[in-house]
Amino acid sequence: MPLDILAQIAIGGVLIGGLYALFAFGLSLIYGVARILNFSHGTLLAIAGVLASILYGALGASPLALVAIITGLALAFFLFGWGFHDLLLAPLKRRNHFEASVGTVLTTVGALIVIGDVAATLAGPRPRNIPLRSDVIEIGDVLIPVSQAWMLAGIALLTVVLQLVLTRSWYGRAVRAVTQDHVGATICGVRSRAIHGITFGLGTALAAIAGVLYAMVYPVDPYTGFSLTVKAFTIIVLGGIGNLVGALAAGLFLGVAEAFTAFFWAPEWAPALSITLLLIILVAFPNGFGNTRKA
Amino acid sequence: MIRPALSISATMFGLLAFLSPAQAKVGSCDEPILLGTTISETGPFSTLTDNWKAMTENFFDEINKQGGVNVASCGKKIPVKIVIYDDQSNPSTAVSLYEKMASVDNVDFFVGPDWTSLGLPVPTVAERHKIPIVAANVATPSAYVRGLKYMWGTPYPVVPLWSQRYFEMLAQADPKPRTIFFVTHDNPVMKGITDFWAPKAEEQGIKVVGKETFPADAKDFSAIILKIRAARPDIVYIASFDNVSAPLVQQMRQQRVKAMGVHHTMLTGSLARQVGKDIEGMTGELAWYPGVGGKHSELVGRVLERSKVDMFESIFTMARIGSYLVMVQAIEKAGAVDREKVREALTNGTFESPPGPIVFDDKGFPTSNGAYTIQIQNGKVVVVWPQQTGKAVWPAPSWN
Amino acid sequence: MSRVNDPVAAIGASAAAARRPAPFVGAIVATLCVGAIALVPLLGVPYVTSLIFTLLVSFILAQSWDWVGGLAGYVNLGHFAYYGIGAYAFSIALAAGVPAPLCFVMAIAVVSTVAAILSFPLFRLKGDYFAFATLAILPLSELLAFNLVRLTGGADGVVLPPKYVLSQAFYTALAIAACTFALTVVLARSRFGYALKSIRNDEQAAEVVGIRIFPAKLGVMVLSAAAASLAGAVHAWQLSYIDPPTVFGLNVALVPVAMALFGGSGLLWGPMIGVALLFSIQQALLVNMTMLHATVYGLIILMIGRFMPGGLLRSRLVRSLPALRFLSREIHLDRQEPSRSTSTTRLPLPERKPSPSSELLVCRGLTKAFGGNIAVNNVDITIRQGEIVGLVGANGSGKTTLFNCISKVYEPTGELIFDGRNLAGLRRDQVSAVGVGRSFQNPRPFGDLTVAENVAIAATFRPGGPALPDALSEAASYAAFVGLGDRLDQRADSLSLQEKKSLELARALALHPKLLLVDEVASGLTPSEIRRFVEHIRDIREVYGITVIWVEHIFSALAQVVDRLIVLEQGQVIADAPLAEAVKDERVLAAYLGQVASKEGH
């Protein structure tokens, strides 16, 4: 098997793996900190992509517009996520454990339906994307599209930034404290509810960024959300809850594994890989692996 | 425990409250003709039905502007009313709604629905109630071989005719293409197209050097593209729905796939918008295009303009309009608002439509709906075969 | 998932339990209701028939989900996959010419097998991980349906003969739905159902009282899957065509779950009400709104989630309306005849004659480490039959860990021999069956079950234990013994901490243990209560011959009754001697008894 073919497949896998990782960051943070399974996560991502596509067309198709869109949407979704958490999800925590879980499921599923339908009604259900004509970097016989290379660089940078925030800033320390021991952190003066709200907002903002980047490469419509959510769950379990670098690694691994499966076996079986891996990992390590919580 | 009984009864009576009052008697000359249909306004298929509700309402409004449908036995034209529900892209919902239209709204005839998953369950309802149904975008042949006597369909184009004009064009092309690679979306209609046309290509002297299938949610096509590049075909034939193949086309460009021609079975405005300039030079199929003319083309053109539906965007529209046209003509042909007479008129009938006559075989399958071959030239859609508004550029620019 | 501290529900539970109508009235009304629904196809409006048919299918799905979700506490997000696989099994068989009734059998057979196989890996997971894993089953099934083309037809789906079977499908669905509801009623009152309810509350505690966890979970999963498969089969029959997105689509997969939660998971009427309401609302919106009907639907679900997450039937609104209150009732069994037990009545325990020379429990080199922390360090102790042994030590010295090792909550290394049997390799429920009973330091009652049920569960699950009705009668005696005789119908999570500790003891006794491990029950009791408790312990040994190991901080309590004292420090035994000697031991005084001994005046 010639090396350049293997390399091409691997490159394709890495590029899509980076995207998978990005989906998962936001969810990993939200689940890791606030322990909320946000079923509408994927839909938010899709909506961000749809909005980005519309704005890109409206603002004129330039790289500057793109940066403005990413920043604007990230901020808007941050505020939306924070508000969503504080208004709808935080009050549920005061109830007993059963009602809190059930309430979260119903609220996020309801949100999923509402957001999808409103978006489909307002923006139309047709898939949209951000069409970018792109040059290609050639290394021997291996071709790397420039836009995707930038995207991957952006994702890597984002991971580093997030990791620094989590390890160095006061917010990051508070987040890790709350993740490891909620009550203890509260006693030490950390305002857990605010931390949960900010983290939910941050996770939602990450979903928005992921949505914009996703739309630069693949079409999105308001209904594509839920299957993305399932994939994101897979990645955060593989990479470890709350572990961003782990999620990146898991995403990349998954992307490359799927690419190789598609080539050597058959493309239609590639999606089965992530699910099978998820099941195997969960069964071999019932508490997930690489996670930061004590068992 | 009496209370549960009361609650259940209350719920049931509540449900019965959905019954709207009964509508017109079938066959009356003083009441409008009542048609019933569902459109997938929400759910996964809603991406394909943009503005169809408005289009449907406008179509029958245009018909009514001319007085309605000419019913000989009443000696006059009778206006048409159509009941439209949203089937949510869900077969169960569709079945219930068609039952409602049959037994509560008392429609005279059915048009629609679309899609295989709805087009197989729903006609059994029509069959049961003996209501003629002219389905729209139901293209799978398996829907027509079930022995149903009240079902017809107007998919555009049908699988056996899908690329007929394209391959006619290829037969005349110079330099002659010698090899072809099929890339197929895992979908019954698309697979049907490949299964039908790959052997036809071979018959024409074009050797099939590759066949790959991809699932609907595929994102990374490197594997397939590597195989295409290895095979170096003269033609890459993409049998796929438009949106799922956008990444494929983009990646084919990025990975420098070269060919004399790249053909797509569903080249739509949506695909063109998503792919951008990369779509230049590709050929595709289009059921019909205003400007091509044909029977009732003015009516159809007016309807499309009023409802702002672009045939190039919304490629399944012709089939929908086809079913409406057929139904209207069948009633006229039958001469009465009578289900059995209309059924006779539809059986093995021939009807007019802009792309050409619709001829039903004894199974209700239309045998004559082919497509026009188009090509994107300088960003514009040009019908290139039969040579109507333009000539194909061969080998395709930007792919060579 | 455990439910804590809901006083309103507790009051409701105790009040309502006393008012249950005679069962045969229920059966008559149920027959009438089924009969009424059976008349629907005869109304001659197929639209209504098809609507109610779909409603019945939704009900079967939602109710069968709730057996695993509401009864056992496991949220199976992939439940819809069983529906899909059932639909496929049925359709493939029917298309191959197998007669329809047999196709239903095939659907059940295939799906039950799949569910059984999946249970092995899935039930190793808990909580959210279980939810993740089950969620993944759905797209996996869809993928297999797409790709195993020779079997399933792939994207082409399975085409069935186009027969119009609405009436037959309707009656079949009605029969299945009626059986599903009947099974729900039976489960709620059965021993198996109580095993599930215990698992729902506290899986470890359930094991410790003798319930075999995995077979129970496997059983309910298979049952739930079988019902769902029938829903899929009958639906496929009516539609006469299925393809992968129709039966495995993520967009409809969560709807039955939402319906069950909407009505009230775990309540008898919850799924039924949830399905009836949500389905009707959805249909009404569909027919009467031209757009945004899904938005309104989603908003309703969201509002319920936010404001009434326990489900509509648990909301204050419903509970306050007299006409509807019966819907919110939780099912709690109580004994049939009024209790005559007082705290002086004899307990229905076997009276053993312990032989003081036989060893009951032998620990040799018992060690348990957590990472670098060695909690129990090479402990050697021997307990003889009929002894009352006190186990003391500073906080963190390993007392509770030792108990956990003996009752197999943890797996220790070293030798553990009980009544001549080596406990290595035994599960917790087996350890309970051979005669080890324990109470937990932090009480772990089955919170949403009543006091009577808590104790009855322990009674019924001991080897050779009585059936539920008798177990409930027995439970009254144990409860009275520990002073909870007038609290039998109260939910365990509404008890005070003291009362919960008493409940722990009663539950442990109901196991008919040979060895009773009592973990810190005296703290917070008044001196007279302590004295009464000590009397109990003495009776337990004198009258019933049960050996007792008692962990306690309140030394004065121990001193009244123990024969022997074992002192732990940092996981090691530093003293093991008769009481009188131990209190004089230098090391013991220094390590533990220092201040207490000086206070010893009584």
Side-chain angles (χ1 to χ4, degrees), chain C residues 394-414:
Chain C
N395 277 326
S397 53
K399 311 185 294 293
T400 300
T401 311
L402 183 58
F403 268 11
N404 285 336
C405 289
I406 298 172
S407 60
K408 289 311 208 70
V409 173
Y410 299 146
E411 278 289 336
T413 51

Side-chain angles (χ1 to χ4, degrees), chain A:
Chain A
M1 182 99 298
L3 196 59
D4 54 343
I5 291 193
L6 289 176
Q8 184 73 60
I9 300 175
I11 298 282
V14 161
L15 291 173
I16 186 140
L19 259 186
Y20 287 164
L22 199 56
F23 302 161
F25 281 169
L27 202 63
S28 184
L29 266 185
I30 291 175
Y31 184 70
V33 174
R35 289 284 148 175
I36 292 173
L37 274 178
N38 183 10
F39 287 103
S40 57
H41 187 87
T43 306
L44 289 168
L45 191 154
I47 301 303
V50 168
L51 283 174
S53 166
I54 296 175
L55 288 170
Y56 187 73
L59 293 178
S62 74
L64 197 60
L66 205 52
V67 172
I69 290 172
I70 292 183
T71 326
L73 281 178
L75 192 61
F77 274 67
F78 172 77
L79 293 171
F80 174 79
W82 193 350
F84 183 84
H85 172 269
D86 278 4
L87 276 178
L88 294 176
L89 296 174
L92 287 172
K93 294 282 188 193
R94 281 186 244 121
R95 296 178 183 257
N96 65 60
H97 183 76
F98 169 73
E99 291 190 347
S101 320
V102 168
T104 311
V105 171
L106 285 177
T107 309
T108 51
V109 168
L112 161 76
I113 297 175
V114 171
I115 295 173
D117 196 44
V118 169
T121 308
L122 291 178
R126 270 180 297 116
R128 295 168 188 273
N129 70 348
I130 298 177
L132 291 177
R133 201 76 191 295
S134 127
D135 292 319
V136 183
I137 307 173
E138 287 189 59
I139 304 179
D141 254 344
V142 177
L143 303 164
I144 307 173
V146 169
S147 64
Q148 288 186 294
W150 276 114
M151 195 180 69
L152 195 62
I155 294 173
L157 182 66
L158 195 61
T159 314
V160 169
V161 166
L162 282 175
Q163 194 64 14
L164 281 176
V165 165
L166 278 182
T167 47
R168 300 284 168 85
S169 74
W170 66 266
Y171 166 72
R173 276 198 291 273
V175 159
R176 281 181 294 140
V178 167
T179 308
Q180 289 177 35
D181 187 339
H182 179 106
V183 176
T186 315
I187 292 176
C188 289
V190 174
R191 289 174 49 206
S192 291
R193 188 189 131 143
I195 295 291
H196 284 178
I198 293 177
T199 307
F200 201 93
L202 185 58
T204 310
L206 285 173
I209 298 175
V212 179
L213 292 180
Y214 185 85
M216 293 200 310
V217 187
Y218 306 114
V220 269
D221 67 70
Y223 297 113
T224 48
F226 195 51
S227 52
L228 296 178
T229 309
V230 175
K231 200 151 241 169
F233 282 164
T234 307
I235 290 174
I236 65 178
V237 169
L238 279 177
I241 307 284
N243 182 347
L244 287 186
V245 176
L248 182 61
L252 291 175
F253 168 71
L254 204 60
V256 173
E258 282 187 356
F260 278 103
T261 309
F263 188 80
F264 287 108
W265 188 4
E268 55 260 32
W269 286 106
L273 188 70
S274 63
I275 302 170
T276 318
L277 270 177
L278 171 68
L279 291 173
I280 293 177
I281 298 280
L282 279 180
V283 168
F285 302 91
N287 290 315
F289 63 48
N291 63 0
T292 51
R293 273 186 160 235
K294 53 186 194 317

Side-chain angles (χ1 to χ4, degrees), chain C residues 349-362:
Chain C
L349 279 169
E351 287 172 28
R352 299 182 224 268
K353 293 276 177 281
S355 41
S357 52
S358 326
E359 297 173 339
L360 187 61
L361 177 70
V362 178

Side-chain angles (χ1 to χ4, degrees), chain C residues 337-413:
Chain C
E337 72 284 349
S339 165
R340 276 170 279 106
S341 314
T342 65
S343 56
T344 54
T345 317
R346 284 192 47 75
L347 289 176
L349 279 169
E351 287 172 28
R352 299 182 224 268
K353 293 276 177 281
S355 41
S357 52
S358 326
E359 297 173 339
L360 187 61
L361 177 70
V362 178
C363 304
R364 270 200 277 272
L366 206 63
T367 306
K368 179 66 192 164
F370 299 103
N373 171 24
I374 306 181
V376 172
N377 195 349
N378 215 353
V379 161
D380 289 338
I381 47 180
T382 304
I383 312 281
R384 300 206 148 63
Q385 286 188 15
E387 287 194 276
I388 301 181
V389 178
L391 183 59
V392 297
N395 277 326
S397 53
K399 311 185 294 293
T400 300
T401 311
L402 183 58
F403 268 11
N404 285 336
C405 289
I406 298 172
S407 60
K408 289 311 208 70
V409 173
Y410 299 146
E411 278 289 336
T413 51

